[in-house]
Amino acid sequence: MIRLPSEPIVTKDGVFVLDMAAKIDATADYLCKAKWGEVEFPPPFGREAYPEEAYIADLDAKSGASLKLTLLNPRGRIWTMVAGGGASVVYSDTICDLGGVDELANYGEYSGAPSEQQTYDYAKTILSLMTREKHPDGKVLIIGGSIANFTNVAATFKGIVRAIRDYQGPLKEHEVMIFVRRGGPNYQEGLRVMGEVGKTTGIPIHVFGTETHMTAIVGMALGHRPIPNQPPVAAHTANFLLSSGSASTPSSSRTASFSETKPGSGASPAKKPKPGAPPERETSSSRTGVKATTLFSKHTKSIVWGMQTRAVQGMLDFDYVCSREEPSVAAMVYPFTGDHKQKFYWGHKEILVPVYKNMGDAMKKHPRVDVLISFASLRSAFDSTMETMQYPQIHTIAIIAEGIPEAQTRKIIKVADEKGVTIIGPATVGGIKPGCFKIGNTGGMLDNILASKLYRPGSVAYVSRSGGMSNELNNIISRTTDGVYEGVAIGGDRYPGSVFTDHVLRYQDTPGVKMIVMLGEIGGTEEYKICQGIKQGRITKPVVSWCIGTCATMFSSEVQFGHAGACANQASETAVAKNQALKEAGAFVPKSFDELGELIGSVYDDLVAKGVIVPAMEVPPPTVPMDYSWARELGLIRKPASFMTSICDERGQELIYAGMPITEVFKSEMGLGGTLGLLWFQRRLPRYACQFIEMCLMVTADHGPAVSGAHNTIVCARAGKDLISSLTSGLLTIGDRFGGALDAAAKQFSKAFDSGMLPMEFVNKMKKEGKLIMGIGHRVKSINNPDMRVQILKDFVKQNFPATQLLDYALDVEKITTSKKPNLILNVDGFIGVAFVDLLRTCGGFTRDEADEFVEIGALNGIFVLGRSMGFIGHYLDQKRLKQGLYRHPWDDISYVLPEHMSM
């Protein structure tokens, strides 16, 4: 947006701008960086920039999640760590409403499913800041949030718990009390670990779930309401999904409103669409295009743009629990693969959903589709949305991506208005119409769908900016009324594709909706159109409304809240001004968000008393099976694992070798030998042992091109084969005659030594049995022409090993064999074999049985395989570099012998 504070000068040569202030849209950086160059975005006017803010901004830039931090008063007593953009504003509002504005230390949020490690990094930054300076009254930390849609609450809370453990000393020293309230996927486990860390560390931590109003913990933290001794425990996920009742689908369930219209009330019943037919299009907005009043029905069919299998499965589970006859997802579009089918669950059975490479094919093959749910990235959402609007069958598009350049969003809105397409988003989680259809991850996991009774329609419709707060509205409305009829989150960007007015007017014209809830926020003036509609009589149904962001007028500097659009550019855009205007217009406006649920319940009860709403009998939803992976994560089932491993674990934030994080492996400078010690022997070996392993790899790396392994590798490489094929060809020659002497020598010498056999007895026994002594003998080297590889290793071993009993025994055997023939020396394979046995037995890391087991299972031969692989790869690269052609063995190097009967 460009503002011109002074008038431009117009001359015959053109227009000259003398003074200009430009507000740059940071989301367009990827488009305009070549023109802008490096732009440094300064902190808002009126406050300092802090290094911790820069650190969190850097974490945010490297993550797909959202991590925000603004320091307001580093000496403050009240600190927050809130999940969700809308929720973070609501918590700040409530703190200020309860008189905590001067003590509020920070504003921020974490959302978008950050990993455990990212949440840990965010949490430890907050804890570090709040434990730097003591407060005479102690401090409070509010870990709050609405009901998450897809963030694994347990994973994020485990990151916070790690940070609390790290800072438990300073937290107790600074007398910090922690209050927790959260809901969403796996939140029960998250609350459990949070409560557990309070017990083990002695830090007072009070934990609450969805049974407690979202901001109730603020009043507890500030001493305005009592802290329950034993808060009610919300039902576990398993209680919803593993019902003890009948698993059969109900014979009947409501398809219209959950409420019944009182006869003679004058309200016309909702028109039932014909199966498969798109909803009737009706004008419901002051905008140019003709848009549909009914966006979704039981017969709505959609296309999902993007390989979002989790979101699609959630939609199908919702369809099933709503007793829909057909899945709401007709197809998926994903340009990065070819056409194929993706497998999903429909209740207990598996179904296939087609995936198309391009939009045109999907539209042509699925003419009943009228909704697109776009999970395209912020960089591709514009192009894919513009393409979708070319197809007249589409009347609703939900754009999930956040951060689409505002100029592109305005172009999308213009085209959508011209074509009569309703846009939900950008930066939205979507919307939900209970009993009919839900967009993507809206409504959260199935346990929340069931807890909020979203499987059947109620009488209350809502519209919100925030996706996370829309889930909280589902919870509040389900606890205070007969439930939600429809809910839409228009998105937090500055220019949402559809605005409050569009949806409130749709609800006004929908007979099944008896009351409307609107959750606005600071920024923009759209709420004033609702005021105008109420005053003019266009909106006659009760509207309960609250605009979040009332705390902004109390701050000394500008704060950019979680949503891009949540920033007031003039007095009329403040939440306080809009709440006052809504109240004066006739909307029901609570004193604070804390009282929103009570007011919604009061308005609902009044409508019931007047007979406008007649609550209907509850209809139980069908039982939906739980996914195996989710059931296992919740600890509800167990099964034997197909594989077991004890050397490596890549599941966490950091790769672990035998219990040692990879960062520690590098810090310890244990080298390749030490790494092999971890992966092969599950031990951290002494430094000399690591060095010995590396020396063994060096001396076994190659032995020239004539040996069978190198020869095979070269022949294979010259036949035009790839590296892996050539290497495998060489490795397959390793056996008893080539390279297998390490294991065999270790076993033979160990058995003889352990049995008490004298070296001469051992030599005589092997001769009598006609067996070769493995590890003895060399084609070229002899006692008079020693192998320097063996000499180097021998010097190292004698100098560093605690004891060398088996090596000494082998050297005594060598004295006997070389006395008979000078080339019957202890060769490099034999030396490594016996020395390795000494290492395993004397380094202090293994029992005798463990040492013998490693020899028995072939660990020593692995040294030869690994070392020689380096040489084989070298030969392969050498042949390719020299551009050697196909190898064919010369005829004159082959003896062609006829079969014996032919020569006769």
Side-chain angles (χ1 to χ4, degrees):
M1 183 170 65
I2 296 176
R3 290 194 284 268
L4 302 175
S6 61
E7 293 297 324
I9 299 297
V10 182
T11 70
K12 61 179 180 179
D13 297 320
V15 179
F16 298 90
V17 178
L18 300 181
D19 189 10
M20 182 181 78
K23 192 168 186 179
I24 296 176
D25 176 15
T27 60
D29 184 57
Y30 77 95
L31 290 173
C32 306
K33 191 161 189 172
K35 299 176 182 177
W36 293 351
E38 293 295 330
V39 177
E40 182 179 347
F41 295 94
F45 180 76
R47 64 179 186 83
E48 301 176 37
Y50 294 92
E52 291 81 10
E53 292 176 337
Y55 172 71
I56 296 300
D58 184 57
L59 284 181
D60 179 66
K62 296 175 181 176
S63 166
S66 176
L67 301 168
K68 303 288 188 293
L69 175 63
T70 298
L71 283 174
L72 303 171
N73 175 15
R75 294 184 176 86
R77 175 174 172 263
I78 306 166
W79 292 77
T80 64
M81 196 183 309
V82 180
S88 62
V89 181
V90 171
Y91 276 97
S92 298
D93 284 352
T94 309
I95 291 168
C96 294
D97 288 341
L98 296 178
V101 63
D102 293 331
E103 292 288 359
L104 180 57
N106 70 304
Y107 168 79
E109 56 118 351
Y110 67 97
S111 60
S115 67
E116 178 183 331
Q117 182 65 34
Q118 290 164 343
T119 314
Y120 166 75
D121 292 335
Y122 184 84
K124 73 177 183 181
T125 304
I126 300 292
L127 299 184
S128 170
L129 285 165
M130 72 180 299
T131 54
R132 291 180 185 176
E133 190 171 325
K134 286 189 176 181
H135 194 285
D137 299 325
K139 296 184 180 182
V140 295
L141 172 62
I142 295 171
I143 302 176
S146 57
I147 301 171
N149 285 295
F150 52 86
T151 297
N152 186 332
V153 175
T156 56
F157 271 23
K158 285 175 183 175
I160 297 174
V161 163
R162 279 175 54 199
I164 290 174
R165 289 191 189 280
D166 288 353
Y167 281 86
Q168 57 182 298
L171 288 171
K172 285 191 280 190
E173 182 185 344
H174 287 255
E175 300 179 60
V176 174
M177 292 181 68
I178 300 177
F179 293 81
V180 182
R181 192 276 186 182
R182 193 73 162 109
N186 212 5
Y187 81 94
Q188 299 90 347
E189 174 64 12
L191 297 182
R192 186 193 69 77
V193 298
M194 195 67 78
E196 195 66 33
V197 76
K199 294 175 184 177
T200 57
T201 61
I203 299 169
I205 301 180
H206 304 279
V207 177
F208 304 91
T210 56
E211 78 290 338
T212 302
H213 185 71
M214 190 179 91
T215 54
I217 59 172
V218 177
M220 299 177 200
L222 302 188
H224 292 274
R225 69 167 74 196
I227 304 171
N229 291 328
Q230 291 183 327
V233 178
H236 193 275
T237 301
N239 299 136
F240 287 107
L241 303 187
L242 302 179
S243 173
S244 58
S246 171
S248 60
T249 302
S251 57
S252 63
S253 60
R254 294 191 176 272
T255 56
S257 175
F258 183 63
S259 63
E260 294 179 353
T261 304
K262 185 177 179 181
S265 64
S268 57
K271 295 179 181 179
K272 292 184 178 180
K274 297 178 181 179
E280 182 180 351
R281 294 176 182 253
E282 300 174 14
T283 303
S284 65
S285 172
S286 60
R287 292 187 177 190
T288 310
V290 178
K291 300 185 180 181
T293 295
T294 303
L295 298 184
F296 315 117
S297 74
K298 271 221 173 218
H299 308 286
T300 294
K301 287 281 188 178
S302 66
I303 287 175
V304 173
W305 198 104
M307 190 53 69
Q308 292 286 327
T309 54
R310 180 177 176 180
V312 170
Q313 185 61 65
M315 292 175 67
L316 299 182
D317 287 343
F318 179 77
D319 297 340
Y320 186 80
V321 85
C322 292
S323 301
R324 276 186 58 132
E325 295 177 1
E326 294 180 330
S328 61
V329 180
M332 300 169 70
V333 173
Y334 193 59
F336 308 107
T337 62
D339 291 1
H340 66 283
K341 293 185 185 296
Q342 197 78 19
K343 187 169 68 174
F344 292 96
Y345 287 105
W346 177 254
H348 294 78
K349 68 179 183 180
E350 293 178 322
I351 61 172
L352 295 174
V353 174
V355 181
Y356 299 96
K357 186 177 176 63
N358 65 75
M359 186 71 72
D361 291 343
M363 293 292 179
K364 184 177 180 180
K365 294 183 180 179
H366 302 278
R368 291 172 55 194
V369 164
D370 57 5
V371 175
L372 177 85
I373 301 170
S374 175
F375 283 93
S377 71
L378 63 93
R379 290 174 175 80
S380 57
F382 174 75
D383 291 334
S384 60
T385 303
M386 296 296 279
E387 178 190 1
T388 303
M389 287 192 289
Q390 296 175 10
Y391 301 96
Q393 69 189 77
I394 296 295
H395 73 69
T396 306
I397 300 175
I399 305 174
I400 311 300
E402 180 180 5
I404 298 173
E406 292 172 2
Q408 291 187 340
T409 302
R410 296 176 80 169
K411 289 177 184 177
I412 289 173
I413 293 170
K414 185 175 186 299
V415 174
D417 286 346
E418 293 170 354
K419 295 181 177 290
V421 175
T422 298
I423 302 289
I424 299 175
T428 180
V429 73
I432 192 165
K433 188 170 184 180
C436 294
F437 180 77
K438 88 178 184 95
I439 295 171
N441 293 303
T442 308
M445 299 289 288
L446 199 56
D447 59 333
N448 188 61
I449 297 286
L450 296 172
S452 298
K453 299 177 181 178
L454 298 173
Y455 52 85
R456 86 309 184 264
S459 304
V460 184
Y462 70 81
V463 59
S464 163
R465 261 189 174 270
S466 166
M469 290 305 298
S470 69
N471 235 2
E472 201 58 49
L473 288 176
N474 290 331
N475 182 47
I476 293 171
I477 292 170
S478 70
R479 292 178 182 273
T480 55
T481 74
D482 65 356
V484 175
Y485 180 90
E486 183 180 328
V488 171
I490 63 173
D493 277 3
R494 196 180 305 275
Y495 301 105
S498 57
V499 292
F500 290 129
T501 316
D502 296 327
H503 298 287
V504 170
L505 292 180
R506 281 198 309 106
Y507 299 153
Q508 171 66 32
D509 297 338
T510 302
V513 176
K514 305 304 179 186
M515 61 179 283
I516 301 166
V517 175
M518 182 182 74
L519 190 66
E521 70 179 24
I522 182 176
T525 58
E526 185 60 30
E527 290 86 349
Y528 290 104
K529 294 182 182 178
I530 303 298
C531 298
Q532 188 178 3
I534 295 172
K535 289 177 180 178
Q536 293 176 350
R538 176 67 178 91
I539 302 170
T540 59
K541 294 177 180 178
V543 177
V544 179
S545 180
W546 178 251
C547 294
I548 65 176
T550 54
C551 62
T553 54
M554 305 181 193
F555 293 154
S556 58
S557 65
E558 179 187 277
V559 174
Q560 174 61 63
F561 292 114
H563 297 150
C567 188
N569 294 306
Q570 53 190 350
S572 61
E573 293 187 32
T574 63
V576 173
K578 290 192 283 189
N579 282 329
Q580 183 62 33
L582 285 161
K583 187 173 183 178
E584 291 173 356
F588 294 88
V589 180
K591 293 179 182 178
S592 68
F593 181 85
D594 235 7
E595 300 179 7
L596 179 63
E598 296 173 13
L599 184 57
I600 290 172
S602 174
V603 173
Y604 171 79
D605 291 341
D606 186 55
L607 291 174
V608 172
K610 291 177 180 177
V612 176
I613 296 176
V614 179
M617 185 181 298
E618 284 288 354
V619 178
T623 300
V624 178
M626 185 186 294
D627 285 350
Y628 166 77
S629 59
W630 188 244
R632 189 177 65 175
E633 189 166 346
L634 292 173
L636 301 177
I637 58 172
R638 64 186 182 190
K639 70 175 279 288
S642 300
F643 289 91
M644 292 181 69
T645 181
S646 61
I647 61 170
C648 185
D649 190 345
E650 82 286 7
R651 294 171 300 172
Q653 184 70 21
E654 189 173 353
L655 180 65
I656 294 176
Y657 287 167
M660 180 178 286
I662 193 67
T663 51
E664 186 62 31
V665 172
F666 281 98
K667 287 178 184 176
S668 301
E669 297 182 351
M670 57 176 55
L672 182 58
T675 304
L676 285 185
L678 295 175
L679 294 179
W680 288 16
F681 307 112
Q682 298 110 335
R683 303 286 193 283
R684 183 168 181 178
L685 299 177
R687 182 64 186 161
Y688 70 84
C690 299
Q691 289 177 295
F692 178 68
I693 291 174
E694 292 182 7
M695 292 174 71
C696 292
L697 294 176
M698 293 177 193
V699 300
T700 59
D702 195 29
H703 202 52
V707 297
S708 59
H711 178 85
N712 267 26
T713 301
I714 292 170
V715 172
C716 197
R718 291 180 59 172
K721 299 293 286 185
D722 59 277
L723 172 61
I724 305 301
S725 300
S726 303
L727 173 61
T728 305
S729 175
L731 290 175
L732 287 174
T733 66
I734 295 177
D736 290 343
R737 295 187 177 184
F738 172 57
L742 276 80
D743 276 334
K747 292 174 184 177
Q748 282 185 357
F749 282 102
S750 296
K751 185 178 179 181
F753 175 77
D754 295 340
S755 66
M757 194 179 296
L758 294 174
M760 181 62 76
E761 292 176 316
F762 172 56
V763 174
N764 292 338
K765 178 177 177 295
M766 296 301 287
K767 183 177 181 182
K768 185 177 180 181
E769 293 176 357
K771 294 180 181 178
L772 295 173
I773 301 177
M774 302 306 293
I776 291 289
H778 197 281
R779 191 174 63 86
V780 177
K781 298 298 180 180
S782 66
I783 194 72
N784 302 313
N785 179 28
D787 188 339
M788 290 309 298
R789 297 178 300 171
V790 175
Q791 191 61 46
I792 292 169
L793 290 172
K794 187 191 300 183
D795 292 342
F796 181 85
V797 168
K798 285 293 185 180
Q799 186 176 347
N800 292 280
F801 281 25
T804 57
Q805 289 180 309
L806 194 62
L807 174 58
D808 293 341
Y809 183 83
L811 291 175
D812 287 341
V813 170
E814 181 188 50
K815 291 177 183 176
I816 298 168
T817 56
T818 52
S819 67
K820 298 179 180 181
K821 199 172 183 180
N823 69 330
L824 294 180
I825 59 171
L826 181 65
N827 59 35
V828 70
D829 292 351
F831 181 91
I832 292 174
V834 296
F836 231 106
V837 174
D838 280 333
L839 176 65
L840 294 172
R841 290 182 177 183
T842 64
C843 72
F846 307 92
T847 64
R848 176 61 179 271
D849 288 342
E850 287 173 335
D852 292 346
E853 183 181 26
F854 277 115
V855 174
E856 188 62 34
I857 63 178
L860 306 189
N861 205 31
I863 293 290
F864 184 85
V865 172
L866 183 58
R868 196 51 61 95
S869 292
M870 293 188 285
F872 292 168
I873 292 172
H875 285 296
Y876 168 84
L877 298 175
D878 188 48
Q879 295 300 308
K880 292 295 185 181
R881 186 173 57 250
L882 296 173
K883 297 180 174 56
Q884 293 296 287
L886 178 67
Y887 174 80
R888 181 179 176 85
H889 205 71
W891 291 343
D892 59 4
D893 194 34
I894 301 172
S895 292
Y896 290 90
V897 182
L898 293 174
E900 189 174 335
H901 70 278
M902 293 293 292
S903 60
M904 290 174 63

